[in-house]
């Protein structure tokens, strides 16, 4: 009935997956088929992420909810009971998978459609057919070796400035610095790198500037990992 049986990832493997994906504070991590919630819990507790899990098995979903409540993580972790093929993933900064190659293959068009440039996908043991990993790593754990595949959605989001001048006193220091870099050719990823912050933070600031009229639009160019 289910696409994949429940086999939990060992904690050491999860930590390495999240390290490889370079999960930063407040980034949003989706675990597709979240089982008992262990990826979500480590992402929230140890990496300061906001985590979202989708689990098709009701018993596991309930177990997951209970663990999250017991740990007081409800404000950082959300869990849905359902089929991950039916959920919008566009908000993700990082997606973790421990499924099967055949399921990854079916998932691939959805990931390509919905994930934004710069999103990292890290898969335990099973590759995403047709994608080129930027890292493949073997991790030796107690009784077996695990393969980890890291992918990154290529492309760029380029904020286009408008002629509207916004009152600088209405902006924070970081917002002013982002605005300074917006020139019609610098991408959100470049700005994030220059400012040492996350894509998410820069995207949120660009969206605020768009609402204030300082940014005309954000051009998105996407590729296949
Ligand atoms: C191999 S386990 C991995 C659990 C967890 N991600 C981890 O790494 O510990 C795969 C999980 O995906 C769930 N699953 C399989 N197909 C699913 C689907 N279409 N939608 C949501 N969950 C699914 C299974 O019930 C199972 O709990």
């Amino acid at each position: 009935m289910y696409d994949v049986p429940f086999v939990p990832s060992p904690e050491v493997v999860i930590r390495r997956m999240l390290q490889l994906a370079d999960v930063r504070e407040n980034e949003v991590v989706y675990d597709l088929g979240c089982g008992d919630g262990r990826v979500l819990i480590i992402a929230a507790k140890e990496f300061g992420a906001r985590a979202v899990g989708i689990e098709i098995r009701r018993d596991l979903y309930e177990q997951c909810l209970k663990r999250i409540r017991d740990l007081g993580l409800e404000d950082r972790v959300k869990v849905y009971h359902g089929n991950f093929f039916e959920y919008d993933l566009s908000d993700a900064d990082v997606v973790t998978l421990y499924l099967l190659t055949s399921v990854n293959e079916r998932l691939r068009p959805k990931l390509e459609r919905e994930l934004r440039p710069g999103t990292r996908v890290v898969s335990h043991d099973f590759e995403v057919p047709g994608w080129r990993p930027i890292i493949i790593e073997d991790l030796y754990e107690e009784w077996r070796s695990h393969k980890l595949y890291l992918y990154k959605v290529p492309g760029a989001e380029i904020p286009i400035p408008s002629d509207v001048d916004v009152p600088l006193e209405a902006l924070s220091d970081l917002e002013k610095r982002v605005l300074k870099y917006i020139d019609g050719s610098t991408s959100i990823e470049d700005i994030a790198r220059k400012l040492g912050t996350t894509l998410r933070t820069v995207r949120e600031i660009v969206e605020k500037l768009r609402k204030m009229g300082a940014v005309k639009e954000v051009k998105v160019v996407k590729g296949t990992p």
Side-chain angles (χ1 to χ4, degrees):
M1 177 180 175
Y2 305 117
D3 287 320
V4 190
F6 174 54
V7 182
S9 299
E11 291 195 354
V12 58
V13 172
I14 296 170
R15 278 190 194 99
R16 188 60 194 148
M17 290 169 81
L18 300 173
Q19 275 167 7
L20 278 177
D22 189 25
V23 173
R24 310 254 227 108
E25 222 174 297
N26 285 326
E27 284 196 309
V28 175
V29 176
Y30 273 68
D31 187 31
L32 305 188
C34 61
D36 62 4
R38 56 184 63 206
V39 175
L40 311 176
I41 290 166
I42 293 178
K45 274 182 67 172
E46 297 181 21
F47 291 77
R50 289 183 271 150
V52 182
I54 304 158
E55 175 52 54
I56 206 160
R57 267 179 54 182
R58 177 169 284 282
D59 58 334
L60 289 169
Y61 160 75
E62 279 167 2
Q63 196 177 318
C64 191
L65 262 191
K66 182 174 175 339
R67 290 183 77 184
I68 287 155
R69 279 200 201 116
D70 290 349
L71 290 164
L73 289 173
E74 301 99 314
D75 57 334
R76 301 206 68 77
V77 181
K78 265 197 227 141
V79 199
Y80 297 104
H81 176 223
N83 184 340
F84 50 65
F85 280 96
E86 288 163 16
Y87 286 77
D88 178 16
L89 308 174
S90 56
D91 189 37
D93 297 299
V94 171
V95 176
T96 57
L97 309 172
Y98 185 22
L99 301 167
L100 290 171
T101 308
S102 57
V103 179
N104 290 351
E105 187 163 26
R106 281 200 283 130
L107 200 51
R108 188 182 120 177
K110 176 175 171 65
L111 298 175
E112 287 175 3
R113 228 177 14 252
E114 293 177 8
L115 301 183
R116 293 169 306 176
T119 307
R120 291 89 78 200
V121 176
V122 55
S123 181
H124 177 186
D125 270 345
F126 302 97
E127 59 187 317
V128 182
W131 280 8
R132 207 172 331 155
I134 50 177
I135 295 177
I136 304 179
E137 191 172 284
D138 283 306
L139 182 72
Y140 293 91
E141 181 251 355
E142 268 173 45
W143 59 281
R144 75 166 177 105
S145 128
H146 302 257
K147 244 190 170 55
L148 305 181
Y149 299 87
L150 175 70
Y151 305 92
K152 187 169 162 187
V153 178
E157 294 162 289
I158 301 171
I160 311 296
S162 74
D163 308 329
V164 177
D165 282 327
V166 295
L168 288 183
E169 60 278 10
L171 303 177
S172 71
D173 280 351
L174 187 61
E175 288 163 352
K176 280 182 215 156
R177 293 173 72 201
V178 169
L179 182 60
K180 245 173 65 183
Y181 282 119
I182 294 177
D183 59 4
S185 64
T186 306
S187 70
I188 285 182
E189 192 167 8
D190 288 335
I191 299 172
R193 198 174 310 115
K194 284 176 180 155
L195 296 180
T197 187
T198 61
L199 284 177
R200 172 163 294 273
T201 303
V202 177
R203 268 193 205 112
E204 282 168 5
I205 293 175
V206 167
E207 179 53 19
K208 175 171 174 181
L209 293 170
R210 196 190 60 75
K211 285 189 180 143
M212 293 172 84
V215 168
K216 219 180 346 185
E217 56 169 325
V218 179
K219 259 205 261 171
V220 182
V221 188
K222 240 162 78 164
T224 304

